Amino acid sequence: MTKRLFLSISMIMALLVTSCIKSTYDMSMLSKKAQLSPTLALSAVKGDVSFSDMVKSSDTVRFAQDNLVILVFKKDSIINMKLSDFSKGTVVYMSAPIETTDFDLNIHDVLSHISGDFLVSNPTMNFSYTNSFTDSVKVNLIASATRGSNSVNLDLVPFFLALPDINAEQQITSSYLVDKTNSNLQNLISLPPEVIDFSGTVTLRTSAKGLQVENYNLGSERLLGSLELDIPLELKINNLQFNDTIDNFLEDKGNDNPADPADFQTLRVIVNAKNGFPLGASLKMSLFDSVSNKVISTINADAIIAPAAVDSNGKATVATESSTVIDFTKEFLNSINKADKIIFWFTLNSTGGSSQDVKIYSDYRISFTASLVVKPVINLK
Amino acid sequence: MIGKIKYLLLIILVLDFAEATGQNGQVMYFMNLPESHLINPALRPSNSVYIGLPVISGINLNINNNFVNFSDVIIKGQAKDSIITFLHPDYNVDKFLAKIKDKNFLEPETMIQLLGVGFSVGKDTYIFLDINERVDCNVVLPGDLFRLALKGNEGFTGSKIDLSSLRGDIKYYHEFGAGFSRNFTDRLRIGIKGKLLLGVAAASIDNRALGITVNDDYSHTIDANLAVNLSGPVNVTMDSKNNIDSIEFDNNRFKTSSGIRDFFSGKKNTGLGLDLGATYTLSDRIEVSASVTDLGFIKWGKDITNLKANNQFEFSGLNMKDVLNGTKTIDEVGNDMLDSLKNAFVVSNTKVPFTTYLPFNFSMGGSYNVTKQFSVGLLSSTRIIRKQVREALTLSANINIGSAFSASIAYTAENHQYDNLGAGLGFRAGVTQFYLVTDRIPIMWNRIRNDNSNIIVPAKWNTFNLRMGMNLVFGNRTNEKKDKPMILVE
């Protein structure tokens, strides 16, 4: 019995030890290709900001009591006239020209990148003056706004200034409001202008008749006037487009950049926003070859941020939540190194487009996150 | 020479991916070998005296893992003769990940017996002494770590990358053991072995919490509460911000013989261990036994470095508020974020002694003697490493012809692996006894061809376990006849 068992166990062990070869691996045929391609997702940026966080109240941006945002442009001494400006020698004329002056809003760079419809609803221009002329003074202020080859005239009806009460005061300080009811200011501002040129005439009206007043007693009368252009952000925007061309920062310039986008199988940007502004935005991004002057590839992201709903007064009532996925196609990624420029196109639309005024208040908020999903191919050999 | 190094590396790779077991040595349990007392101190060999010669008397090597095999890493390609790795672009890495478990352990262990002595005192008592060099390593790699590395973090959106099971322990220590076994009754035999442990070097990860929560918006919350304890000739220097500047091995320690002696002496790293075992003879044919081995600890007090990090950090992207309101540039915001991350996980470097515990084993077995020389046995082996429990069940057939010949074949089911066939062989020539035991015999092999040479490696290794050695044995304990005269009572 024992001998049989011993033999059996020995045979089994011998069989096991000399068991068969399953496969042969020729290591000279081992492929050296090895790579990792994990899908990495990361919250890249976030923000929760109000308008007043981004833009502080200042000389050029003012927040009204109800928080309506008002852009303010000022031009001092647009009129600085003494009686002597009306005279030549001993002859005093009834009219004198306002010295031509221009009012540069210093937004040329911005405007050069903007196209599309833009209508400001209620701009005002406040003409503030100090007048010591006792006779009636009529101002014919001519203003012409230009943007490139386009121009719009103010078409302001001539107006009279207040006069000092000679029994009580030597001069009076007052103002005259220019708005869309008495001028073409709305269209002038909505151009929008780079420069506004001012000129015109000031006419004194005395009891004497005629174009000339002889032997007028030359005194110290003076007229000082300044302008303040107030643009409440109550507007309509329809496909206002801002574009900018920059150098291709994604291009692999052979500096062993470990994150060459051309090696990405996937590149996706996910934008989540809760937008309290009645403004929506979309983005287009184009790869551009300046040598051939051709757009090589374009990524479109419509409605990247949706606008908030507004009430009948144009005030945003409820923030709108939106989520947008911007997928960078393989074709786009493969074209990155063929382009030397990238053109960004941002398109803005207000709620309701061109059919409704919206107002921008300083307490509007927007919160957003932008996440990045990438699937790089990391070559290990 | 380079070819040999390649083979060596290949073998190491293969061994690294062998599959884990509950406790190695199941096959030896029912064999008549002096080394059986290492598994159950109540087990006694049939010879009266044994002397284990330095080094050659016993080498035990276990290298285990529970996740992938060689063929999962090196794969036959579609084209004839082509071979690819699991990282090849043509290979579906999901197939590799399908083999990955939540807790993937890798446990290489080795024990070299420097000295072993065992002898009988009287007919009931057996005394044994041994000195062993032991290196134990156990590493647990969370499955999420592999998934994160190979697939990225997007798949974890809305859940947590659980790295809490990340664990690592490696320790090198001397073991001085002395024990005895004795029949306390005709049927009950108890053995006990006390051990003095002197640690040489250790590294241990104490992971109390480690995880990354990936939120739906892809923001991340990182929790970390872990410590790395080191005892060894390592210099860790910190920079002014308390970040690790460098970790360097202290070579100067080994430039003098006194320094080398001091390093290997194990002074200040002391511990104790205990093995307990018992056998009980139910009848002439049936014997049951149980043992607990490697209950013990080492308190490490020499060359201590504790690196600890404990905090929570949330990364939800660069906050653009400061950029939008013009108070900071985006570069400044980015640098602030990096500083915050660094400061959140400032590593404290202390020198507080720490304690490591030995993985201990619990065995219960029973054997049935079919004949005087042939028995079948059933053995349950449980190995407990910290909070992890491994269970193995072994069925064996054993032949023990005194100390002249001992053989065993065994089938072991463990860790959801049901194809483990082991064998052991021991035979005596004069006073010399040789033995070779393995818990798993590879049935299928792969041939690895490189240049003009070939080696064969197991196609599928669920475990690699090998015990081999040579003893000097003297005498042969004979069982006292327990037969009682049959008395007929009228």
Side-chain angles (χ1 to χ4, degrees):
Chain A
M1 173 71 176
T2 304
K3 190 178 283 184
R4 282 202 301 272
L5 281 169
F6 171 66
L7 281 172
S8 301
I9 291 172
S10 300
M11 283 176 65
I12 291 169
M13 292 183 68
L15 280 171
L16 294 175
V17 170
T18 57
S19 49
C20 61
I21 299 293
K22 184 183 177 189
S23 294
T24 298
Y25 290 81
D26 186 348
M27 299 304 281
S28 64
M29 302 298 287
L30 179 66
S31 170
K32 290 186 169 60
K33 282 186 185 174
Q35 67 179 39
L36 287 173
S37 57
T39 305
L40 305 172
L42 196 66
S43 178
V45 295
K46 65 175 182 182
D48 180 7
V49 291
S50 66
F51 186 93
S52 58
D53 289 331
M54 294 183 282
V55 181
K56 300 296 179 194
S57 178
S58 65
D59 289 343
T60 53
V61 180
R62 199 165 60 217
F63 302 148
Q65 277 195 331
D66 64 351
N67 291 326
L68 183 66
V69 179
I70 301 168
L71 302 184
V72 180
F73 299 90
K74 289 181 178 174
K75 180 73 176 174
D76 293 331
S77 302
I78 198 159
I79 298 177
N80 184 0
M81 300 177 83
K82 296 189 286 251
L83 188 57
S84 57
D85 293 320
F86 291 82
S87 65
K88 282 184 181 175
T90 58
V91 180
V92 177
Y93 295 88
M94 289 178 65
S95 294
I98 299 170
E99 188 177 347
T100 301
T101 181
D102 60 14
F103 187 0
D104 191 342
L105 301 181
N106 292 315
I107 54 174
H108 173 79
D109 283 347
V110 176
L111 295 180
S112 67
H113 294 95
I114 285 179
S115 61
D117 296 336
F118 177 90
L119 185 66
V120 179
S121 298
N122 288 305
T124 59
M125 190 162 64
N126 200 34
F127 176 67
S128 299
Y129 59 89
T130 301
N131 177 31
S132 58
F133 288 98
T134 54
D135 291 323
S136 119
V137 180
K138 185 172 80 173
V139 176
N140 182 17
L141 187 63
I142 298 169
S144 175
T146 55
R147 179 184 172 200
S149 58
N150 297 323
S151 66
V152 174
N153 292 323
L154 182 61
D155 295 339
L156 176 64
V157 177
F159 57 93
F160 289 92
L161 304 186
L163 304 175
D165 180 356
I166 54 173
N167 298 319
E169 57 194 359
Q170 291 192 331
Q171 61 183 32
I172 187 168
T173 298
S174 188
S175 64
Y176 183 79
L177 188 67
V178 181
D179 58 21
K180 63 183 179 183
T181 61
N182 57 14
S183 71
N184 194 29
L185 184 63
Q186 183 185 19
N187 291 326
L188 183 144
I189 296 302
S190 300
L191 185 58
E194 296 168 7
V195 177
I196 305 172
D197 294 313
F198 289 96
S199 60
T201 55
V202 174
T203 304
L204 302 176
R205 283 188 171 236
T206 68
S207 55
K209 304 293 181 186
L211 291 176
Q212 296 183 352
V213 180
E214 298 291 345
N215 302 317
Y216 197 91
N217 184 24
L218 293 176
S220 59
E221 289 85 351
R222 188 169 189 180
L223 173 61
L224 282 172
S226 62
L227 280 176
E228 179 181 298
L229 181 61
D230 291 353
I231 307 174
L233 290 187
E234 183 180 355
L235 37 75
K236 299 184 185 93
I237 298 176
N238 186 31
N239 289 328
L240 183 72
Q241 207 167 62
F242 173 86
N243 65 74
D244 196 15
T245 303
I246 60 173
D247 288 337
N248 181 3
F249 60 92
L250 297 171
E251 188 183 13
D252 180 17
K253 292 175 179 158
N255 53 359
D256 294 330
N257 184 357
D260 183 1
D263 289 335
F264 292 171
Q265 287 183 350
T266 303
L267 177 58
R268 189 182 305 143
V269 177
I270 302 166
V271 180
N272 292 303
K274 187 175 181 182
N275 182 19
F277 288 77
L279 299 171
S282 59
L283 170 69
K284 194 165 80 171
M285 181 176 171
S286 296
L287 294 173
F288 183 74
D289 180 16
S290 59
V291 177
S292 61
N293 203 30
K294 281 183 180 172
V295 170
I296 300 171
S297 184
T298 298
I299 294 292
N300 262 313
D302 295 331
I304 196 170
I305 297 172
V310 296
D311 59 17
S312 57
N313 294 318
K315 183 171 185 178
T317 51
V318 181
T320 301
E321 294 188 37
S322 57
S323 180
T324 304
V325 178
I326 306 169
D327 250 321
F328 289 77
T329 61
K330 194 64 189 160
E331 181 248 335
F332 183 91
L333 295 172
N334 288 339
S335 302
I336 283 175
N337 291 328
K338 299 172 188 167
D340 59 343
K341 302 284 182 187
I342 297 177
I343 306 172
F344 286 98
W345 316 75
F346 292 96
T347 303
L348 277 180
N349 279 292
S350 57
T351 307
S354 56
S355 63
Q356 184 173 10
D357 285 342
V358 298
K359 294 176 180 173
I360 307 298
Y361 289 86
S362 63
D363 55 352
Y364 284 166
R365 299 192 73 81
I366 182 171
S367 60
F368 62 92
T369 62
S371 305
L372 199 62
V373 179
V374 294
K375 187 174 172 63
V377 176
I378 304 165
N379 287 309
L380 302 176
K381 285 187 179 178
Chain B
M1 183 63 185
I2 291 172
K4 287 179 181 174
I5 291 171
K6 279 184 187 172
Y7 286 142
L8 185 62
L9 291 173
L10 190 61
I11 290 168
I12 290 170
L13 178 68
V14 170
L15 298 186
D16 281 349
F17 287 102
E19 174 93 5
T21 64
Q23 174 191 351
N24 300 114
Q26 291 96 325
V27 174
M28 194 170 68
Y29 196 88
F30 294 110
M31 291 177 69
N32 180 19
L33 293 174
E35 278 75 10
S36 296
H37 79 267
L38 296 169
I39 307 171
N40 183 340
L43 297 178
R44 175 185 187 181
S46 62
N47 46 268
S48 305
V49 177
Y50 103 93
I51 299 172
L53 298 175
V55 182
I56 59 171
S57 70
I59 295 175
N60 179 28
L61 181 62
N62 302 320
I63 304 176
N64 309 315
N65 85 62
N66 74 332
F67 47 116
V68 287
N69 284 300
F70 173 76
S71 57
D72 298 319
V73 181
I74 306 291
I75 301 126
K76 289 262 188 181
Q78 288 188 339
K80 189 185 176 186
D81 293 336
S82 70
I83 303 172
I84 59 175
T85 68
F86 71 104
L87 294 173
H88 193 277
D90 291 345
Y91 185 71
N92 182 0
V93 77
D94 288 336
K95 289 183 182 174
F96 176 82
L97 288 173
K99 312 269 177 141
I100 299 298
K101 299 173 174 59
D102 286 343
K103 294 175 181 175
N104 304 278
F105 51 85
L106 173 65
E107 295 169 357
E109 295 176 355
T110 187
M111 185 181 83
I112 297 174
Q113 193 173 35
L114 294 183
L115 177 66
V117 175
F119 54 90
S120 298
V121 177
K123 64 177 183 179
D124 285 337
T125 305
Y126 185 70
I127 294 174
F128 43 84
L129 305 165
D130 47 60
I131 302 172
N132 302 309
E133 291 292 291
R134 295 184 66 166
V135 178
D136 294 350
C137 178
N138 57 80
V139 175
V140 175
L141 301 172
D144 283 355
L145 192 63
F146 289 91
R147 287 184 273 274
L148 177 64
L150 296 176
K151 298 288 283 183
N153 63 343
E154 195 194 22
F156 292 95
T157 305
S159 63
K160 186 172 187 177
I161 302 170
D162 184 5
L163 305 177
S164 61
S165 59
L166 176 69
R167 178 165 60 76
D169 255 335
I170 182 167
K171 47 190 176 286
Y172 169 32
Y173 59 98
H174 312 302
E175 178 186 86
F176 299 87
F180 72 99
S181 60
R182 186 170 185 273
N183 289 336
F184 283 84
T185 69
D186 285 348
R187 293 174 182 274
L188 177 65
R189 183 175 186 81
I190 293 176
I192 184 168
K193 180 180 174 184
K195 297 187 241 187
L196 172 66
L197 310 174
L198 297 178
V200 178
S204 172
I205 297 174
D206 183 9
N207 180 0
R208 294 177 186 175
L210 186 60
I212 304 169
T213 303
V214 184
N215 301 307
D216 290 337
D217 62 354
Y218 297 137
S219 62
H220 291 64
T221 306
I222 306 168
D223 292 286
N225 182 0
L226 78 165
V228 176
N229 297 310
L230 301 170
S231 171
V234 173
N235 295 325
V236 178
T237 53
M238 316 292 280
D239 64 17
S240 58
K241 293 184 176 176
N242 219 27
N243 294 311
I244 295 175
D245 189 37
S246 66
I247 300 177
E248 291 177 346
F249 190 80
D250 184 7
N251 289 311
N252 295 329
R253 191 76 64 84
F254 302 95
K255 287 183 177 172
T256 63
S257 55
S258 62
I260 296 171
R261 273 200 307 274
D262 180 61
F263 172 69
F264 284 103
S265 69
K267 282 190 288 189
K268 297 183 182 175
N269 297 329
T270 54
L272 296 172
L274 183 68
D275 294 351
L276 287 171
T279 63
Y280 189 81
T281 305
L282 289 174
S283 69
D284 284 349
R285 290 183 181 274
I286 301 174
E287 186 177 78
V288 293
S289 60
S291 69
V292 180
T293 58
D294 284 338
L295 279 172
F297 68 92
I298 300 174
K299 187 169 184 182
W300 303 86
K302 185 181 177 187
D303 297 331
I304 298 298
T305 301
N306 319 107
L307 303 173
K308 292 181 185 173
N310 179 11
N311 212 333
Q312 187 180 71
F313 181 79
E314 182 166 349
F315 178 76
S316 53
L318 300 178
N319 192 336
M320 299 300 284
K321 184 170 184 176
D322 290 337
V323 177
L324 291 171
N325 67 21
T327 54
K328 286 182 180 174
T329 66
I330 194 164
D331 284 348
E332 288 171 330
V333 172
N335 289 333
D336 287 351
M337 175 63 75
L338 289 175
D339 287 344
S340 300
L341 183 60
K342 278 183 180 177
N343 293 334
F345 295 103
V346 167
V347 177
S348 65
N349 185 0
T350 58
K351 298 193 180 300
V352 179
F354 63 95
T355 301
T356 59
Y357 296 90
L358 306 186
F360 70 93
N361 308 298
F362 176 66
S363 300
M364 284 181 65
S367 64
Y368 178 80
N369 294 319
V370 180
T371 69
K372 194 176 178 183
Q373 282 90 24
F374 175 68
S375 66
V376 292
L378 184 67
L379 177 68
S380 164
S381 303
T382 306
R383 183 174 172 83
I384 299 171
I385 306 173
R386 293 196 183 178
K387 294 175 183 173
Q388 283 192 279
V389 178
R390 317 276 162 70
E391 175 64 27
L393 192 66
T394 301
L395 182 66
S396 64
N398 319 286
I399 293 176
N400 289 298
I401 307 173
S403 61
F405 179 81
S406 182
S408 178
I409 60 170
Y411 167 78
T412 301
E414 56 189 354
N415 294 325
H416 309 292
Q417 296 289 337
Y418 305 103
D419 57 351
N420 303 309
L421 208 56
L425 186 66
F427 60 89
R428 179 174 171 179
V431 297
T432 308
Q433 182 187 48
F434 301 92
Y435 67 94
L436 175 67
V437 180
T438 180
D439 284 345
R440 179 183 173 86
I441 300 170
I443 296 172
M444 304 296 285
W445 297 77
N446 288 328
R447 178 183 286 118
I448 309 297
R449 182 182 294 155
N450 194 14
D451 299 330
N452 296 320
S453 54
N454 292 298
I455 61 167
I456 57 170
V457 295
K460 186 179 180 185
W461 281 17
N462 294 325
T463 183
F464 177 81
N465 161 255
L466 182 67
R467 283 177 189 263
M468 60 183 293
M470 185 182 79
N471 298 315
L472 298 179
V473 293
F474 306 94
N476 191 11
R477 174 176 60 88
T478 54
N479 288 324
E480 185 183 353
K481 285 191 175 177
K482 295 174 183 174
D483 295 346
K484 293 179 182 175
M486 185 180 292
I487 300 172
L488 295 174
V489 179
E490 293 292 332

